Amino acid sequence: MKSAQTAVVTPTLTQRWKAIRPLVMIFFFSLSIMIATALIPRDESDYSSLSPSNPGNSGSQALADAMRHHGVKVIHIHSIQELVARSTPETTAVITDPEDLTTTTAQKLDDQLDRAVYLLQRPSTGFEPLGITTNYEKKSYAPDTLTAQCELKSARAAKQIENPNGQLIDTTESGWTKCFPSNGAYAYLEKSEGTYFRAVFADSEIATNGNIDQEGNASMLINAMAQKPVILWYNANYSDSLDEPDTASLTPSWFLPMLMMLGAGITVIGISRGQRMGRLVPEDLPSYVPSSETTRGRGRLMATQNEHGHAARLLRIEAATNIARHLGIDPQAPRETLEHALEARGLLNSHVTALLWGPPPTSNAELVTLAEQLTALTQEIDYR
């Protein structure tokens, strides 16, 4: 028996390039979009009160920019969990409107900070975690400008500060240095013991862009906040809590866009690789495969998948086609035409009907029996 020759076709560089070209194009397209997104300037202004990114009169961007000019890094913190996670002895937490926090949350937060500067809001009810109280009865008597009158170097350097709303505070706890007095209350309190540092401004209005340039406001604020190289600026929010971890606030800003880009790329690759584009085009196999091997392989596949019904259908179609051709009937004719032809020749009976159109077999043995009987029927008709 003459053996068939086998020819192995190795893909050329051009063929390989055509195969991977869609993936390369998708990769560079995604990369270009990511670079463009990173380079496009974004408006990071935050117009909430006392925000270090707010350029309006109620914001504190001027103070933040002034401290950055002096080499201090100002980081805008968006959650209480992020503030605690980033806080170290080399950072100073600047907390605006701390009265918005619940007493329990404010106490837990203060216990976990080494250095903190509090800017109380207007109107204020005091700050219980530090024992700070507000003196409303003395507010109307406070002048617009207050003088330091204490031994703190920062206060003496500032000399005077503006007191726009006349808000004053006091405390009965020991260890506090009290500056800028008026009628027995004060505009600034400070306490420093080792790595522990607390500073409290009675009126947060002095830190706004509209008041920062008044008297010695800027000097006092910078000296109190910028003693360490990093400032963590946090605008308190009543909905913040330390009870549940906030992993979203610790997620980098670029993570979600990159994740969306990656998902879109995978979707495009899946569609381009998984969906047929256009009609099927027959191609030569890389190596020669005899038809008998293909037939045997297909038969084994059907046997392992228990496709007895499908195999029987193919056998019956083949037998009916051969019989129709022998009887001079169009193989594509309907079943009734073949039945009439068989009946006219006296060949139609229950056995023939069961063979050609009966129920499918359910086992290999039944399939083999059906194949043998169909072959015998075809041969019988051919002999007639």
Side-chain angles (χ1 to χ4, degrees):
M1 180 177 180
K2 186 178 178 180
S3 61
Q5 293 182 348
T6 301
V8 179
V9 180
T10 302
T12 63
L13 291 177
T14 302
Q15 292 173 330
R16 290 178 177 176
W17 165 246
K18 288 182 178 180
I20 66 172
R21 183 167 56 185
L23 300 180
V24 175
M25 293 177 63
I26 291 173
F27 172 77
F28 281 103
F29 177 72
S30 302
L31 182 63
S32 62
I33 291 180
M34 291 175 59
I35 294 175
T37 303
L39 295 179
I40 293 176
R42 295 183 294 272
D43 183 13
E44 297 181 353
S45 298
D46 179 3
Y47 293 95
S48 58
S49 178
L50 295 173
S51 169
S53 303
N54 183 354
N57 286 335
S58 63
S60 298
Q61 189 179 61
L63 175 60
D65 289 343
M67 289 188 289
R68 291 188 181 105
H69 180 73
H70 285 80
V72 179
K73 186 177 182 180
V74 180
I75 303 175
H76 193 184
I77 303 299
H78 298 283
S79 74
I80 196 170
Q81 291 85 6
E82 184 183 3
L83 176 62
V84 172
R86 288 175 175 261
S87 180
T88 68
E90 294 303 311
T91 63
T92 300
V94 174
I95 305 172
T96 68
D97 304 341
E99 306 94 326
D100 286 346
L101 300 173
T102 64
T103 302
T104 302
T105 300
Q107 185 64 65
K108 289 181 179 179
L109 174 62
D110 189 76
D111 292 341
Q112 298 185 55
L113 300 176
D114 293 289
R115 303 178 58 84
V117 176
Y118 293 97
L119 300 177
L120 303 185
Q121 67 180 348
R122 176 183 62 87
S124 174
T125 57
F127 191 52
E128 186 175 336
L130 298 180
I132 305 297
T133 58
T134 301
N135 290 275
Y136 276 109
E137 68 276 7
K138 299 176 181 179
K139 175 179 177 179
S140 58
Y141 301 104
D144 294 337
T145 302
L146 301 177
T147 305
Q149 299 185 32
C150 66
E151 297 301 319
L152 286 179
K153 292 182 179 181
S154 57
R156 293 171 62 184
K159 296 182 180 179
Q160 292 181 326
I161 63 172
E162 185 76 9
N163 191 31
N165 297 304
Q167 185 162 288
L168 301 171
I169 55 176
D170 197 6
T171 180
T172 57
E173 295 186 3
S174 60
W176 288 91
T177 300
K178 306 175 182 180
C179 299
F180 304 100
S182 176
N183 301 309
Y186 306 87
Y188 177 77
L189 303 178
E190 181 179 306
K191 187 175 185 179
S192 180
E193 298 175 352
T195 59
Y196 179 88
F197 176 82
R198 294 292 182 273
V200 184
F201 287 88
D203 194 343
S204 59
E205 286 291 316
I206 70 170
T208 60
N209 298 326
N211 293 305
I212 189 65
D213 59 345
Q214 301 296 319
E215 301 297 337
N217 292 356
S219 174
M220 189 64 214
L221 289 163
I222 292 174
N223 283 326
M225 297 177 181
Q227 298 179 21
K228 294 297 179 179
V230 178
I231 291 177
L232 306 177
W233 193 293
Y234 169 63
N235 300 107
N237 190 324
Y238 69 91
S239 62
D240 275 354
S241 173
L242 283 169
D243 296 334
E244 298 180 0
D246 183 13
T247 56
S249 62
L250 301 178
T251 303
S253 58
W254 49 263
F255 179 76
L256 184 57
M258 179 173 288
L259 186 63
M260 295 175 63
M261 183 67 66
L262 182 61
I266 292 176
T267 302
V268 172
I269 292 173
I271 293 175
S272 64
R273 302 292 291 181
Q275 180 175 345
R276 189 169 68 245
M277 301 298 180
R279 63 183 181 86
L280 288 175
V281 179
E283 296 183 0
D284 295 334
L285 293 174
S287 60
Y288 173 77
V289 180
S291 59
S292 59
E293 293 293 333
T294 305
T295 303
R296 292 190 185 97
R298 185 175 182 181
R300 294 190 188 99
L301 179 62
M302 289 184 179
T304 56
Q305 298 299 319
N306 294 324
E307 292 289 345
H308 305 104
H310 182 68
R313 178 175 174 273
L314 296 178
L315 291 173
R316 283 168 168 161
I317 290 174
E318 182 68 19
T321 301
N322 292 333
I323 293 172
R325 286 173 179 170
H326 180 76
L327 298 178
I329 303 173
D330 183 5
Q332 302 297 327
R335 171 182 171 178
E336 291 78 7
T337 303
L338 181 58
E339 288 180 341
H340 290 321
L342 290 171
E343 186 178 5
R345 289 167 175 78
L347 300 174
L348 185 62
N349 53 47
S350 59
H351 177 67
V352 173
T353 302
L355 283 179
L356 293 177
W357 300 290
T362 58
S363 65
N364 289 336
E366 293 180 3
L367 179 61
V368 171
T369 301
L370 175 65
E372 292 174 348
Q373 292 177 351
L374 286 172
T375 301
L377 175 62
T378 304
Q379 292 176 352
E380 180 183 354
I381 295 176
D382 287 343
Y383 291 148
R384 291 192 178 190

